[in-house]
Amino acid sequence: MSGEYRPVPLSFERKSPQEMEALSKQLEADLASRRSVREFSPESFPREWLDCAIAAASTAPSGAHRQPWHFVVVDDPEIKREIRIAAEREEERSYGGRMPEDWLEALRPIGTDESKPYLEIAPYLVILFAETQGVSSAGEKQKNYYVTESVGIAAGLFIGAIHRLGLATLTHTPSPMKFLRDLLQRPVREKPFLLFPVGYPASGCRVPDLKRKELEAVRSFNRDGLPSDSRESQSES
Ligand code: IYR
């Protein structure tokens, strides 16, 4: 992108209302069938499929169009093993006292613990880094804007793309995640953001019995969210 505003015509294909009506039904059903998976089959798939999901994720809108993300794909068994060992080392500390009791209690229905075998079993690990600083075309340090929002949106598109491809993933956040930058030899200006194991679910894969919030709980219309008296008391507190 040059330094001036030189707009070009938008390319936008208008769909028929009939098609949109049909899509509005399919869309939710399709995304509702997505689940985070922690039991993967070791079966691999072509790397190009992952590249397609990453390219799709990289279409995300971003602050000042800086696209402040970098995806590292790992399929090397030795690197996956190093990542599993380092992640489990951190998780042992987290589950063994670093996470307060209320957090552990919140995680109980999810069934997670410090053991992360899927980090070696899944055919690919995709590590998403946030570029806290960019590099200009002249090779100089460049400020990035709304980095967390931008990378979060790219992560969402990636998760949706993986699902639409017919694969499964997990938004894994070993904490702290700095070991990923060291193990993958990424520059200091890149901050590990999320780790996605990607593959097919294992046969017999089980997932937590989660219920999602109803639409009415996550969407208000105009000002109908709260009765006016509770809005007042909220702004006072
Ligand atoms: N990172 C840990 C703990 C964990 C935290 C949250 I919040 C989760 O939704 C799930 C797990 C782990 O991966 O086990």
Side-chain angles (χ1 to χ4, degrees), residues 34-81:
R34 185 201 59 80
R35 293 301 310 265
S36 290
V37 158
R38 293 180 176 81
E39 294 169 37
F40 287 88
S41 158
E43 183 184 345
S44 196
F45 59 86
R47 232 182 82 184
E48 289 70 29
W49 299 358
L50 213 42
D51 283 345
C52 155
I54 292 168
S58 198
T59 67
S62 60
H65 191 56
R66 287 285 153 79
Q67 298 183 268
W69 44 72
H70 189 82
F71 293 80
V72 178
V73 177
V74 173
D75 74 342
D76 181 312
E78 181 48 38
I79 306 176
K80 287 199 292 179
R81 194 175 127 77

Side-chain angles (χ1 to χ4, degrees), residues 38 91 94-95 99 103 107 110 112-114 116 118 170-175:
R38 293 180 176 81
E91 298 290 16
S94 296
Y95 284 89
M99 286 194 278
W103 192 348
L107 289 181
I110 318 281
T112 56
D113 60 25
E114 61 275 20
K116 305 296 175 195
Y118 51 76
L170 168 72
T171 322
H172 181 43
T173 52
S175 174

Side-chain angles (χ1 to χ4, degrees), residues 151-199:
V151 184
I153 296 167
L157 292 190
F158 179 73
I159 294 165
I162 289 295
H163 176 68
R164 286 191 57 182
L165 273 170
L167 293 163
T169 187
L170 168 72
T171 322
H172 181 43
T173 52
S175 174
M177 292 180 102
K178 201 179 96 51
F179 70 88
L180 289 166
R181 182 168 62 199
D182 300 336
L183 275 181
L184 297 169
Q185 299 172 357
R186 299 306 307 170
V188 182
R189 63 189 181 81
E190 288 184 13
K191 191 170 175 264
F193 191 77
L194 290 170
L195 194 173
F196 300 103
V198 184

Side-chain angles (χ1 to χ4, degrees), residues 16-28:
S16 74
Q18 292 78 3
E19 195 186 347
M20 290 165 80
E21 188 65 31
L23 282 170
S24 73
K25 304 263 157 37
Q26 289 161 18
L27 186 67
E28 193 218 333

